[in-house]
Amino acid sequence: MSEIQLTINGQAIKAAEGETILETARANGIDIPTLCHQEGVTPTGACRMCLVELDGTNKLLPSCVTRAADGMVIRTDTEKLKRYRRTILELLFAERNHTCAVCVSNGHCELQSQAQAHKIDHVNFDYRNPQLIVDLSHERFGIDHNRCILCGRCVRVCDEIEGAHTRDMRNRGIATLIITDFDQSWGEASSCTNCGKCVEVCPTGALFIKGLGAGEMVKNHELVPGLVNTREVVHAKN
């Protein structure tokens, strides 16, 4: 695989051809925030938190799906990008109901962590305050649609890693909801293998283990990357 050279935040960096900007940045200790990105599954560029600036274009590019190219000059931490990211986070908080103090993922939530990192202490948009369901029909897990940010991680992990494709999305825009099978309750979804991978990759408290109290839902962020690496090792041996 050939090597390319690019510049990120004034730092000259070498990368393998075919890597994304996000992969290249993280491999060199440069943080780019993400919410929808999940290592081990297909990137989608859905949340737009990973937008970066590239010399030569006025467009902001999603770094998780944009391939690094030789000679690129990229900026990841400009005031413009920070302003865009704060707006994205505020819209997510306004769109649904994120009351951190009573959430099972309080203190372990990626949305909460990003809000703290971007110094968000209020929201400049009207709260929609939708009254969405909490599905507790599964014997082990629950889903609270009020806390879902529609990142799609659970959909991709269930499809690409577990191979069940129990989860999908219906509707569009702010009316979008995560569904199981043919829009059944989770407990009635015959395709679900009860593996819990969707719960582990959820960045918020939307998917959780039943019976846990506020702040007790700690996700295993290494589960999916570990499974992918193990499969690659086994495949190489065979």
Side-chain angles (χ1 to χ4, degrees), residues 128-146:
R128 293 186 62 247
N129 297 315
Q131 296 183 15
L132 302 176
I133 66 167
V134 180
D135 182 358
L136 298 175
S137 60
H138 192 280
E139 62 178 354
R140 294 173 55 201
F141 309 121
I143 178 169
D144 183 351
H145 292 280
N146 294 280

Side-chain angles (χ1 to χ4, degrees), residues 76 112 198:
T76 71
Q112 183 185 55
C198 59

